[in-house]
Amino acid sequence: MAIALLTVYVVWGSTYLGIRVVVAEAPPLLAMGTRFAMAGVLLGLLLMLRGGWRRLLVTRRQLLSCAFLGLMLPLLGNGVVSIAEQDVPSGIAALLVATTPLTITVFRALARDRPSRWTVLGVLVGFAGVGFLVLAGRGSTDAEIPLGPTLLVLVAATCWGFGSWMQPRLELPEDPFVMTSWEMLAGGLMTVATGAVLGERLDLASYSTKAWVAWAYLIVFGSMVAFTAYVWVLGRAPISLVATYAYVNPVVAVFLGALLLDEPVTVAILVG
C-alpha cells in the first residue's frame, strides 16, 4: 500500500507538467480523452493476456458505476483541469487541486461520517493556503492567476473529491485493475465526445515531439501506473489518508514547472 501511495504522490505531481506541455499544442479534452481511452484499452489488453477475455466481464450495474467514476474523475476532474492549464501554470494548478481533501471532508460530514479534529484542522489549513495563493497571486504582477481558470480547477477538484468519496459506495468489479480499465475507457470516451461537441479538432501532424512524449508519459505513468494505484488505494485505505496526495503533488509540480518550463515561483506560491 505504501508503494502505491508513494506512486500517486510523486508520479501525479509530474503529470501537471505533462498536461501543461500537451495542452500548449493540442486541444485539452481530446488530448486527455484519448490519453485515458488509450490507457484503458492497453490495460484491458494486458489483463486479457494474463487472464483471458472473461477477466474483463462485468455486470451492467458495475459498468454504470465505472462510467460514473469516469465522468467524475477523467472528464470533470482531469479534463477540466487540462482546460484550465492552458492559462494556469502547472504548479499553481496542482496547488489549487489541494482543495480536494476539503471537499472530501465536507462530503464525509454531510454523510455523518465525522472526521477527526486533526483531519478537519489539516484541511482548513490547506484551504487557507489555497485562499492565500489565489488572493495574493491575483495581486502579483509577475504571476497573475486568472480567475476563470482558477474557478475551473476548483470545480474539477470538487468533482474529483466527490467521485473519490463515492467509489467505496458503488457496486464495482472486485478486481481493481478491471475496474480501472473500464473507468478509464468510459471516462476517456466521454471526454473525447465532449471535446468534439465543443468543437475541438486534432491536427496530429502539427504537434512537436515534446508534446507526443508528454502525451505518452501521461498514458503510461500518469494513467496506467498512477491512476491504477490511486483506484487501488481508494479501496483499501481511509479516504482521509489517500487524499493527502493533494498536498504532496504541488511540491513536485512546482519544482518541475520551475525547472523545466521556467514557471515563476513567487512568495505567494511558496506560502500558499
Side-chain angles (χ1 to χ4, degrees), residues 4 27 29 32 41 47 57 81 89-90 94 104 113 121 127 154 158 169 178-179 199 208 211 227 230 236 248 250:
L29 292 179
M32 294 305 108
V41 169
L47 295 175
L57 293 178
V81 167
S90 59
I104 290 174
D113 175 18
L121 177 62
F127 184 72
L154 296 178
T158 301
R169 295 161 175 79
V178 173
M179 176 179 66
S208 66
F227 191 79
Y230 179 74
R236 287 161 176 78
V248 182

mmCIF file of all heavy atoms in Angstrom, residues 4 27 29 32 41 47 57 81 89-90 94 104 113 121 127 154 158 169 178-179 199 208 211 227 230 236 248 250:
data_model
loop_
_atom_site.group_PDB
_atom_site.id
_atom_site.type_symbol
_atom_site.label_atom_id
_atom_site.label_comp_id
_atom_site.label_asym_id
_atom_site.label_seq_id
_atom_site.Cartn_x
_atom_site.Cartn_y
_atom_site.Cartn_z
ATOM 1 N N ALA A 4 2.115 2.027 -3.481
ATOM 2 C CA ALA A 4 1.063 2.582 -4.334
ATOM 3 C C ALA A 4 0.803 4.052 -4.002
ATOM 4 O O ALA A 4 0.665 4.893 -4.897
ATOM 5 C CB ALA A 4 -0.224 1.771 -4.171
ATOM 6 N N PRO A 27 -5.675 20.338 -28.352
ATOM 7 C CA PRO A 27 -6.917 20.660 -27.633
ATOM 8 C C PRO A 27 -7.024 19.817 -26.368
ATOM 9 O O PRO A 27 -6.816 18.595 -26.411
ATOM 10 C CB PRO A 27 -8.015 20.324 -28.644
ATOM 11 C CG PRO A 27 -7.374 19.389 -29.613
ATOM 12 C CD PRO A 27 -5.940 19.771 -29.679
ATOM 13 N N LEU A 29 -9.400 18.613 -24.127
ATOM 14 C CA LEU A 29 -10.300 17.492 -23.888
ATOM 15 C C LEU A 29 -10.003 16.305 -24.801
ATOM 16 O O LEU A 29 -10.023 15.161 -24.362
ATOM 17 C CB LEU A 29 -11.753 17.945 -24.047
ATOM 18 C CG LEU A 29 -12.261 18.926 -22.987
ATOM 19 C CD1 LEU A 29 -13.712 19.318 -23.263
ATOM 20 C CD2 LEU A 29 -12.134 18.338 -21.590
ATOM 21 N N MET A 32 -6.681 14.715 -23.467
ATOM 22 C CA MET A 32 -6.847 13.936 -22.239
ATOM 23 C C MET A 32 -7.798 12.766 -22.447
ATOM 24 O O MET A 32 -7.627 11.698 -21.852
ATOM 25 C CB MET A 32 -7.345 14.840 -21.116
ATOM 26 C CG MET A 32 -6.355 15.911 -20.685
ATOM 27 S SD MET A 32 -4.726 15.263 -20.204
ATOM 28 C CE MET A 32 -3.740 15.804 -21.627
ATOM 29 N N VAL A 41 -7.665 0.880 -22.855
ATOM 30 C CA VAL A 41 -7.533 -0.214 -23.824
ATOM 31 C C VAL A 41 -6.269 -1.018 -23.557
ATOM 32 O O VAL A 41 -6.288 -2.262 -23.540
ATOM 33 C CB VAL A 41 -7.528 0.343 -25.261
ATOM 34 C CG1 VAL A 41 -7.132 -0.747 -26.250
ATOM 35 C CG2 VAL A 41 -8.890 0.911 -25.615
ATOM 36 N N LEU A 47 -4.622 -7.267 -19.219
ATOM 37 C CA LEU A 47 -5.412 -8.153 -18.365
ATOM 38 C C LEU A 47 -5.894 -9.372 -19.141
ATOM 39 O O LEU A 47 -5.917 -10.494 -18.619
ATOM 40 C CB LEU A 47 -6.606 -7.391 -17.796
ATOM 41 C CG LEU A 47 -6.271 -6.242 -16.834
ATOM 42 C CD1 LEU A 47 -7.542 -5.495 -16.437
ATOM 43 C CD2 LEU A 47 -5.550 -6.754 -15.595
ATOM 44 N N LEU A 57 -15.120 -9.286 -17.951
ATOM 45 C CA LEU A 57 -16.576 -9.293 -17.878
ATOM 46 C C LEU A 57 -17.056 -8.605 -16.601
ATOM 47 O O LEU A 57 -16.554 -8.860 -15.512
ATOM 48 C CB LEU A 57 -17.099 -10.735 -17.917
ATOM 49 C CG LEU A 57 -16.900 -11.496 -19.240
ATOM 50 C CD1 LEU A 57 -17.423 -12.913 -19.110
ATOM 51 C CD2 LEU A 57 -17.599 -10.760 -20.386
ATOM 52 N N VAL A 81 -9.327 20.292 -15.523
ATOM 53 C CA VAL A 81 -8.011 20.821 -15.149
ATOM 54 C C VAL A 81 -7.169 21.092 -16.390
ATOM 55 O O VAL A 81 -6.462 22.104 -16.472
ATOM 56 C CB VAL A 81 -7.274 19.849 -14.206
ATOM 57 C CG1 VAL A 81 -5.792 20.235 -14.062
ATOM 58 C CG2 VAL A 81 -7.921 19.845 -12.826
ATOM 59 N N PRO A 89 -0.327 28.084 -14.741
ATOM 60 C CA PRO A 89 0.889 27.278 -14.646
ATOM 61 C C PRO A 89 0.627 25.950 -13.937
ATOM 62 O O PRO A 89 -0.260 25.862 -13.072
ATOM 63 C CB PRO A 89 1.843 28.158 -13.827
ATOM 64 C CG PRO A 89 1.365 29.558 -14.074
ATOM 65 C CD PRO A 89 -0.129 29.448 -14.202
ATOM 66 N N SER A 90 1.383 24.926 -14.292
ATOM 67 C CA SER A 90 1.144 23.590 -13.767
ATOM 68 C C SER A 90 1.271 23.534 -12.252
ATOM 69 O O SER A 90 0.501 22.847 -11.574
ATOM 70 C CB SER A 90 2.121 22.598 -14.406
ATOM 71 O OG SER A 90 3.472 22.963 -14.150
ATOM 72 N N ALA A 94 -1.744 22.474 -9.526
ATOM 73 C CA ALA A 94 -1.593 21.433 -8.514
ATOM 74 C C ALA A 94 -1.903 21.965 -7.123
ATOM 75 O O ALA A 94 -2.499 21.268 -6.292
ATOM 76 C CB ALA A 94 -0.176 20.866 -8.556
ATOM 77 N N ILE A 104 -13.699 16.451 0.212
ATOM 78 C CA ILE A 104 -13.957 15.102 0.724
ATOM 79 C C ILE A 104 -14.421 15.166 2.177
ATOM 80 O O ILE A 104 -15.339 14.449 2.588
ATOM 81 C CB ILE A 104 -12.699 14.236 0.592
ATOM 82 C CG1 ILE A 104 -12.420 13.936 -0.888
ATOM 83 C CG2 ILE A 104 -12.845 12.929 1.378
ATOM 84 C CD1 ILE A 104 -11.125 13.197 -1.134
ATOM 85 N N ASP A 113 -20.301 10.978 8.619
ATOM 86 C CA ASP A 113 -19.038 10.276 8.870
ATOM 87 C C ASP A 113 -18.062 11.315 9.408
ATOM 88 O O ASP A 113 -17.299 11.922 8.654
ATOM 89 C CB ASP A 113 -18.525 9.634 7.579
ATOM 90 C CG ASP A 113 -17.153 8.991 7.761
ATOM 91 O OD1 ASP A 113 -16.763 8.735 8.912
ATOM 92 O OD2 ASP A 113 -16.467 8.777 6.729
ATOM 93 N N LEU A 121 -8.641 20.126 11.059
ATOM 94 C CA LEU A 121 -7.637 21.183 11.178
ATOM 95 C C LEU A 121 -6.704 21.185 9.974
ATOM 96 O O LEU A 121 -6.383 22.239 9.409
ATOM 97 C CB LEU A 121 -6.836 21.000 12.462
ATOM 98 C CG LEU A 121 -5.701 22.006 12.691
ATOM 99 C CD1 LEU A 121 -6.258 23.418 12.800
ATOM 100 C CD2 LEU A 121 -4.904 21.638 13.946
ATOM 101 N N PHE A 127 -6.803 24.668 3.016
ATOM 102 C CA PHE A 127 -7.711 25.563 2.300
ATOM 103 C C PHE A 127 -7.291 27.024 2.472
ATOM 104 O O PHE A 127 -7.379 27.819 1.534
ATOM 105 C CB PHE A 127 -9.138 25.374 2.807
ATOM 106 C CG PHE A 127 -10.150 26.195 2.064
ATOM 107 C CD1 PHE A 127 -10.504 25.863 0.770
ATOM 108 C CD2 PHE A 127 -10.750 27.295 2.650
ATOM 109 C CE1 PHE A 127 -11.443 26.619 0.070
ATOM 110 C CE2 PHE A 127 -11.677 28.057 1.968
ATOM 111 C CZ PHE A 127 -12.031 27.717 0.666
ATOM 112 N N LEU A 154 -10.964 24.595 -9.294
ATOM 113 C CA LEU A 154 -11.673 24.328 -8.042
ATOM 114 C C LEU A 154 -12.905 23.453 -8.281
ATOM 115 O O LEU A 154 -13.214 22.567 -7.482
ATOM 116 C CB LEU A 154 -12.066 25.646 -7.376
ATOM 117 C CG LEU A 154 -10.894 26.530 -6.919
ATOM 118 C CD1 LEU A 154 -11.408 27.834 -6.327
ATOM 119 C CD2 LEU A 154 -10.021 25.791 -5.906
ATOM 120 N N THR A 158 -13.504 19.602 -6.869
ATOM 121 C CA THR A 158 -14.733 19.194 -6.182
ATOM 122 C C THR A 158 -15.307 17.927 -6.806
ATOM 123 O O THR A 158 -15.713 16.996 -6.099
ATOM 124 C CB THR A 158 -15.780 20.322 -6.237
ATOM 125 O OG1 THR A 158 -15.238 21.494 -5.628
ATOM 126 C CG2 THR A 158 -17.050 19.912 -5.515
ATOM 127 N N ARG A 169 -18.784 3.381 -2.192
ATOM 128 C CA ARG A 169 -20.230 3.240 -2.028
ATOM 129 C C ARG A 169 -20.916 2.681 -3.270
ATOM 130 O O ARG A 169 -22.135 2.529 -3.288
ATOM 131 C CB ARG A 169 -20.845 4.604 -1.662
ATOM 132 C CG ARG A 169 -20.386 5.104 -0.308
ATOM 133 C CD ARG A 169 -20.590 6.592 -0.127
ATOM 134 N NE ARG A 169 -20.239 7.001 1.226
ATOM 135 C CZ ARG A 169 -18.990 7.188 1.649
ATOM 136 N NH1 ARG A 169 -17.976 7.010 0.811
ATOM 137 N NH2 ARG A 169 -18.743 7.525 2.900
ATOM 138 N N VAL A 178 -9.463 -4.364 -13.370
ATOM 139 C CA VAL A 178 -10.590 -4.400 -14.294
ATOM 140 C C VAL A 178 -11.421 -3.128 -14.140
ATOM 141 O O VAL A 178 -11.823 -2.501 -15.134
ATOM 142 C CB VAL A 178 -11.463 -5.647 -14.041
ATOM 143 C CG1 VAL A 178 -12.735 -5.593 -14.879
ATOM 144 C CG2 VAL A 178 -10.678 -6.914 -14.356
ATOM 145 N N MET A 179 -11.663 -2.738 -12.899
ATOM 146 C CA MET A 179 -12.428 -1.520 -12.644
ATOM 147 C C MET A 179 -11.732 -0.306 -13.248
ATOM 148 O O MET A 179 -12.367 0.532 -13.893
ATOM 149 C CB MET A 179 -12.584 -1.317 -11.135
ATOM 150 C CG MET A 179 -13.284 -0.020 -10.755
ATOM 151 S SD MET A 179 -13.465 0.183 -8.971
ATOM 152 C CE MET A 179 -11.754 0.337 -8.476
ATOM 153 N N GLY A 199 -16.249 21.486 -30.312
ATOM 154 C CA GLY A 199 -15.568 21.987 -31.498
ATOM 155 C C GLY A 199 -14.075 21.764 -31.547
ATOM 156 O O GLY A 199 -13.388 22.294 -32.424
ATOM 157 N N SER A 208 4.580 18.775 -31.782
ATOM 158 C CA SER A 208 6.010 18.546 -31.658
ATOM 159 C C SER A 208 6.298 17.206 -30.981
ATOM 160 O O SER A 208 5.413 16.590 -30.367
ATOM 161 C CB SER A 208 6.652 19.667 -30.839
ATOM 162 O OG SER A 208 6.194 19.624 -29.493
ATOM 163 N N ALA A 211 5.477 17.269 -27.285
ATOM 164 C CA ALA A 211 4.073 17.051 -26.935
ATOM 165 C C ALA A 211 3.711 15.565 -27.002
ATOM 166 O O ALA A 211 2.986 15.058 -26.141
ATOM 167 C CB ALA A 211 3.175 17.856 -27.877
ATOM 168 N N PHE A 227 -2.841 6.208 -11.931
ATOM 169 C CA PHE A 227 -4.294 6.190 -11.769
ATOM 170 C C PHE A 227 -4.752 4.840 -11.233
ATOM 171 O O PHE A 227 -5.633 4.773 -10.365
ATOM 172 C CB PHE A 227 -4.977 6.497 -13.099
ATOM 173 C CG PHE A 227 -6.456 6.748 -12.974
ATOM 174 C CD1 PHE A 227 -6.922 7.975 -12.533
ATOM 175 C CD2 PHE A 227 -7.382 5.761 -13.288
ATOM 176 C CE1 PHE A 227 -8.296 8.217 -12.410
ATOM 177 C CE2 PHE A 227 -8.744 5.995 -13.176
ATOM 178 C CZ PHE A 227 -9.205 7.224 -12.728
ATOM 179 N N TYR A 230 -3.997 4.759 -7.599
ATOM 180 C CA TYR A 230 -4.940 5.585 -6.843
ATOM 181 C C TYR A 230 -6.247 4.831 -6.600
ATOM 182 O O TYR A 230 -6.761 4.799 -5.474
ATOM 183 C CB TYR A 230 -5.213 6.880 -7.611
ATOM 184 C CG TYR A 230 -6.197 7.810 -6.945
ATOM 185 C CD1 TYR A 230 -5.839 8.548 -5.827
ATOM 186 C CD2 TYR A 230 -7.490 7.951 -7.450
ATOM 187 C CE1 TYR A 230 -6.749 9.406 -5.213
ATOM 188 C CE2 TYR A 230 -8.402 8.811 -6.847
ATOM 189 C CZ TYR A 230 -8.024 9.539 -5.737
ATOM 190 O OH TYR A 230 -8.922 10.378 -5.131
ATOM 191 N N ARG A 236 -8.704 0.440 -0.278
ATOM 192 C CA ARG A 236 -8.023 -0.276 0.799
ATOM 193 C C ARG A 236 -7.533 0.603 1.947
ATOM 194 O O ARG A 236 -7.043 0.078 2.949
ATOM 195 C CB ARG A 236 -6.830 -1.050 0.215
ATOM 196 C CG ARG A 236 -7.277 -2.263 -0.589
ATOM 197 C CD ARG A 236 -6.209 -2.766 -1.519
ATOM 198 N NE ARG A 236 -6.660 -3.984 -2.183
ATOM 199 C CZ ARG A 236 -7.502 -4.005 -3.206
ATOM 200 N NH1 ARG A 236 -7.975 -2.863 -3.672
ATOM 201 N NH2 ARG A 236 -7.873 -5.139 -3.751
ATOM 202 N N VAL A 248 0.965 16.689 -1.536
ATOM 203 C CA VAL A 248 2.330 16.334 -1.958
ATOM 204 C C VAL A 248 2.555 16.667 -3.428
ATOM 205 O O VAL A 248 3.636 17.139 -3.817
ATOM 206 C CB VAL A 248 2.609 14.839 -1.706
ATOM 207 C CG1 VAL A 248 4.035 14.478 -2.106
ATOM 208 C CG2 VAL A 248 2.368 14.495 -0.233
ATOM 209 N N PRO A 250 1.655 19.183 -5.292
ATOM 210 C CA PRO A 250 2.107 20.533 -5.630
ATOM 211 C C PRO A 250 3.599 20.757 -5.455
ATOM 212 O O PRO A 250 4.196 21.516 -6.218
ATOM 213 C CB PRO A 250 1.306 21.420 -4.651
ATOM 214 C CG PRO A 250 0.096 20.633 -4.329
ATOM 215 C CD PRO A 250 0.546 19.205 -4.304
#
